[in-house]
Structures are given as C-alpha cells and as structure tokens.
Amino acid sequence: MAYPSQLGFQDAASPLMEELLHFHDHALMIIFLISTFVLYIIVAMVTTKLTNSFILDSQEVEIIWTVLPAVILIMIALPSLRILYIMDEINDPHLTVKAVGHQWYWSYEYTDYEDLGFDSYMIPTQDLTPGQFRLIETDHRMVIPVESPIRVLVSAEDVLHSWAVPSLGVKMDAVPGRLNQVAFVASRPGVFYGQCSEICGANHSFMPIVVEAVPLVHFETWSSLMLEDA
C-alpha cells in the first residue's frame, strides 16, 4: 500500500515485482551515468572551450559515440527481455481466477470451483469503517493462497478495462470478446490494492481491485464459507 509523500514503488509482494524493481534500478543507474557524463562534457565545453580538432573531427570519437550507445542498449535489452519471458510463463497454476471488468465494477469467478463467484464493488465513503481506505476498498476481496502460482483470466463485458495490482507486478488489459491471462505468486500474506488502469468511462476511478493473500488453510476456510453462502 502506498503512503503519503512516498517516493518510488510500493514494496514488492511477488517475485515478479522484485525483478521489475531490480530492472528499474539497473536502468535508472545507466540513465544517471549517461546524464552525468553528458552534463560534464557540456560544462567542460562551456567553461574551458573544449572544442579542439580531436573533439570536433576525430574518427576515434565517432567510433566511441557509435559503439557505446549500442553497448548500453544491449545492457538494457537483455534483462528487459528476460523479464518479459518470465511474465509470459504460466506453469501449472494452483488456482485460476477469471476477472471480468464491467462499468464500473469487477466480477470474479474461481474456475476450479463450481459455484464460487462474486461481484466486487467499491465501498462508498459514507459506509467505510475505521481503518479502511477511501476509494480503494471493496465489499468483496479477491482472496488467494499465499506462495501458490495464481493464473488470472482477464476479460471485459462492455468496454476496455485493465486489471492492475502494482505491488504484485501485474497489469493486464481486459478486452471485450478476448481472454487474456497473467500469472503471479504472492510471496507474503497481505492485502494488495490496485485500480482499473484503462480510462473506461465516467466512473473509471471507482472500480478498485483488492487482492488478499492468506495461508492455504485460511483460503480453504474462506472458500468453504463462500460455497455455503452461494
């Protein structure tokens, strides 16, 4: 969960988000070094008139300015491609949940169970209880077991939506008539918040996502209670 005046990303709650944070720090350091070097050259040329023939007309400098950007691009592309392939891997998920976007709420279907499904609406501000967060709490949370591979099938009923939970490193477009999928593993128990990340209409900002990761024993108890109430 983000907090006021926070700088940077939320704490990672999945191995995928940890990889994304490492890649962000890696790319940011490269950008910082490039910016520092370019700033140094500009300052040197302005203050010391570093405009001799070696700088302006030198084959060695041209080779450096051609090879160096290529090396930098490779240093960024290789870890980026690695993470892309990791995000696409879905190996033997323990649980499959179908998330369907509507105007303006989410509905969830646990496809491994016959009658386990529910709609998830944002709790109005006047109905919040102490400790709940405004505009991002829902009446029904998507509950999942911790440390288990989860596959989420994402679709929409009316317009484009996007199912996104930043701390889990998950963001997938919900397209009407199309079934997209994304996988993740919650590495620790907790409640993780997200929102629709596609401008889907007047109430776009009022269809939050709440994922609660609990131990397997608690998940089985929750699923049994939900099936009894169905």
Side-chain angles (χ1 to χ4, degrees), residues 177-188:
R178 179 178 298 178
L179 202 60
N180 295 327
Q181 63 179 356
V182 64
F184 63 90
V185 177
S187 56
R188 56 183 172 86

Side-chain angles (χ1 to χ4, degrees), residues 129-143:
T129 59
Q132 291 185 323
F133 299 101
R134 177 176 173 269
L135 299 182
I136 57 174
E137 290 286 359
T138 60
D139 56 354
H140 290 92
R141 295 173 173 176
M142 173 182 160
V143 181

Side-chain angles (χ1 to χ4, degrees), residues 83-152:
I83 294 177
L84 284 175
Y85 281 110
I86 292 176
M87 295 175 68
D88 284 339
E89 288 184 0
I90 301 178
N91 297 322
D92 191 24
H94 295 176
L95 180 69
T96 299
V97 183
K98 184 179 180 181
V100 181
H102 307 267
Q103 288 184 314
W104 286 270
Y105 64 96
W106 293 95
S107 63
Y108 298 99
E109 302 173 12
Y110 288 70
T111 59
D112 299 287
Y113 299 83
E114 185 174 354
D115 296 317
L116 182 51
F118 51 85
D119 296 330
S120 180
Y121 291 89
M122 185 191 76
I123 300 178
T125 302
Q126 63 272 17
D127 296 334
L128 292 174
T129 59
Q132 291 185 323
F133 299 101
R134 177 176 173 269
L135 299 182
I136 57 174
E137 290 286 359
T138 60
D139 56 354
H140 290 92
R141 295 173 173 176
M142 173 182 160
V143 181
I144 59 171
V146 71
E147 295 183 347
S148 296
I150 308 298
R151 175 175 58 186
V152 182

Side-chain angles (χ1 to χ4, degrees), residues 175-217:
V175 183
R178 179 178 298 178
L179 202 60
N180 295 327
Q181 63 179 356
V182 64
F184 63 90
V185 177
S187 56
R188 56 183 172 86
V191 180
F192 313 112
Y193 296 90
Q195 290 179 307
C196 175
S197 297
E198 193 76 45
I199 299 177
C200 56
N203 292 332
H204 157 69
S205 56
F206 303 107
M207 51 182 302
I209 301 162
V210 183
V211 178
E212 183 176 0
V214 299
L216 181 59
V217 175

Side-chain angles (χ1 to χ4, degrees), residues 14-149:
S14 69
L16 177 59
M17 189 58 187
E18 292 178 3
E19 293 287 343
L20 291 172
L21 289 178
H22 292 159
F23 175 71
H24 168 267
D25 296 340
H26 169 74
L28 189 63
M29 183 55 64
I30 293 177
I31 295 172
F32 174 76
L33 293 175
I34 294 174
S35 301
T36 302
F37 177 69
V38 172
L39 180 62
Y40 168 76
I41 294 296
I42 293 174
V43 172
M45 294 182 66
V46 171
T47 59
T48 64
K49 297 182 179 179
L50 188 63
T51 56
N52 55 46
S53 60
F54 177 76
I55 297 296
L56 297 179
D57 188 16
S58 171
Q59 186 173 358
E60 290 80 6
V61 173
E62 291 181 5
I63 293 175
I64 293 174
W65 282 109
T66 302
V67 174
L68 191 59
V71 174
I72 293 173
L73 288 176
I74 292 174
M75 292 175 61
I76 296 176
L78 291 181
S80 175
L81 291 173
R82 174 177 172 272
I83 294 177
L84 284 175
Y85 281 110
I86 292 176
M87 295 175 68
D88 284 339
E89 288 184 0
I90 301 178
N91 297 322
D92 191 24
H94 295 176
L95 180 69
T96 299
V97 183
K98 184 179 180 181
V100 181
H102 307 267
Q103 288 184 314
W104 286 270
Y105 64 96
W106 293 95
S107 63
Y108 298 99
E109 302 173 12
Y110 288 70
T111 59
D112 299 287
Y113 299 83
E114 185 174 354
D115 296 317
L116 182 51
F118 51 85
D119 296 330
S120 180
Y121 291 89
M122 185 191 76
I123 300 178
T125 302
Q126 63 272 17
D127 296 334
L128 292 174
T129 59
Q132 291 185 323
F133 299 101
R134 177 176 173 269
L135 299 182
I136 57 174
E137 290 286 359
T138 60
D139 56 354
H140 290 92
R141 295 173 173 176
M142 173 182 160
V143 181
I144 59 171
V146 71
E147 295 183 347
S148 296

